[in-house]
Amino acid sequence: IAGDGALQAALGGFVLVVGAGLAWGVGNIAIKKANVPNGFRLLVWMALVPILPLLLASAAFETGQWEALAGLDWIGVGSVLFAGLVSSLFCYGSWAYLLHRSSPNAVVPFSLLVPVFGLSFGALLLGERLDARVLIGSGVVLAGPLVVGVRSGEHTSGLQSL
């Protein structure tokens, strides 16, 4: 969207990103409206339901799955388990818990921290370089949760009690 033009993308990709953001927002409101006290149970069911349709879609549209499974090593297994158990169940379960306890207006701005942490860990663990534009952009993104966190009122009172 902004920058020196090095990150040009097709309109379809842009629409997918905006649609993903819309789906994320609708999902957060749906989780809040469901008023589910145990976010982990909700996430387990949300993870179990799509298995069969995704397997069928993979069989219909992709090739090389059996070869990929035959070449799977312990790093691959660990990566899948980490993504499935830690990233999905623990993180999204905790997110559902926060949405249950607090207003989405107080919780959702903290999702802006995900790319900042991704960039930070990429620099720390993988040695990736962060230029001035990325650092300035990260600072702007960090300002969002900061504004929500210091703002007084009903929106932040739920998070303060955690």
Side-chain angles (χ1 to χ4, degrees):
I1 296 175
D4 62 1
L7 300 175
Q8 294 295 324
L11 179 61
F14 178 74
V15 170
L16 287 173
V17 169
V18 171
L22 179 64
W24 174 254
V26 170
N28 283 322
I29 298 303
I31 288 172
K32 180 66 178 178
K33 293 280 185 189
N35 199 22
V36 177
N38 189 334
F40 294 102
R41 285 186 185 162
L42 175 67
L43 265 291
V44 167
W45 282 108
M46 287 173 54
L48 290 176
V49 169
I51 291 175
L52 185 58
L54 289 177
L55 284 173
L56 293 173
S58 176
F61 300 112
E62 299 177 322
T63 60
Q65 298 91 325
W66 294 112
E67 292 83 5
L69 284 174
L72 193 62
D73 60 2
W74 286 107
I75 293 175
V77 170
S79 298
V80 169
L81 289 175
F82 180 83
L85 297 176
V86 176
S87 296
S88 295
L89 288 179
F90 176 74
C91 293
Y92 285 118
S94 300
W95 187 258
Y97 172 78
L98 288 174
L99 284 173
H100 174 72
R101 295 257 329 207
S102 302
S103 166
N105 294 339
V107 176
V108 170
F110 289 94
S111 68
L112 295 173
L113 297 175
V114 171
V116 174
F117 277 99
L119 289 168
S120 301
F121 283 123
L124 289 172
L125 301 175
L126 303 174
E128 295 178 0
R129 290 197 45 198
L130 302 178
D131 62 11
R133 282 186 316 169
V134 172
L135 293 173
I136 291 169
S138 295
V140 171
V141 169
L142 285 171
L146 181 64
V147 167
V148 170
V150 299
R151 189 177 66 185
S152 63
E154 65 185 55
H155 297 298
T156 58
S157 62
L159 281 179
Q160 292 170 354
S161 67
L162 294 178

